[in-house]
Amino acid sequence: MKKLLLMTVVPAILFAAGFNFGSSPQSVDATLQFQFPTWVAVWVPDDVTWDFSNITSNPSNPSYPPDISSGQDFPQYYYPTNPNASPYMRIRYWTNAASGTSWQLTIVGSGDPGGGILIGDIEYSDAGAGSWTSLSTTAATLASGTGRTSGFASADQDWRVYIDGDEEAGTYTCTVTITMQTL
């Protein structure tokens, strides 16, 4: 009985594994399988800096303090000095999400930088668009969609800060978190 069972099971395993025999020609099919997890990626290569000791290194900026003799005064908007041209923050994002899977790219600030600068004084806009949004401690959507992004996409941002003249000397920072996620 064991011999009969062995003779029946072994050929069945061979046939299931892609074995074929007989007169010429013989063929077998094999499956090539590719398994990808759902992944997301986000890349921001540079920090953004406003150096008020050299603020005019960005030609878009007025002097600091404003040149009152030429009609300038506070308040003023100032653009970053590093980098000193648009886009001030390069953002690349990607997902291989399946069709119908929603994704979202968000931005949120950590809080007031200090020294008289409030988080709401810091503004961003899609690069070149000029429609400004105040940075907040509540996440805001930069981009969203469904399915894969078909390679890396861009959500480059321009930045500016509102300076009203009551800021104090020092170095102040605010962390900006950009998050790419599937929903």
Side-chain angles (χ1 to χ4, degrees), residues 134-182:
S134 293
L135 187 60
S136 173
T137 56
T138 302
T141 301
L142 293 177
S144 62
T146 57
R148 68 184 185 271
T149 56
S150 299
F152 277 89
S154 296
D156 297 341
Q157 299 296 300
D158 284 340
W159 290 87
R160 68 182 187 179
V161 63
Y162 179 82
I163 299 298
D164 61 13
D166 72 348
E167 297 76 23
E168 72 182 86
T171 300
Y172 306 98
T173 62
C174 173
T175 301
V176 176
T177 302
I178 292 102
T179 301
M180 177 64 176
Q181 64 184 335
T182 56

Side-chain angles (χ1 to χ4, degrees), residues 115-137:
I117 300 172
L118 304 175
I119 193 168
D121 293 338
I122 306 165
E123 298 179 347
Y124 61 94
S125 172
D126 289 339
S131 56
W132 299 98
T133 302
S134 293
L135 187 60
S136 173
T137 56

Side-chain angles (χ1 to χ4, degrees), residues 8 15 21 35 43 45 68 83-85 112 117 123 130 133 136 175:
T8 307
F15 286 123
F21 70 95
Q35 297 177 345
W43 179 64
I68 201 161
N84 67 356
D112 295 336
I117 300 172
E123 298 179 347
T133 302
S136 173
T175 301

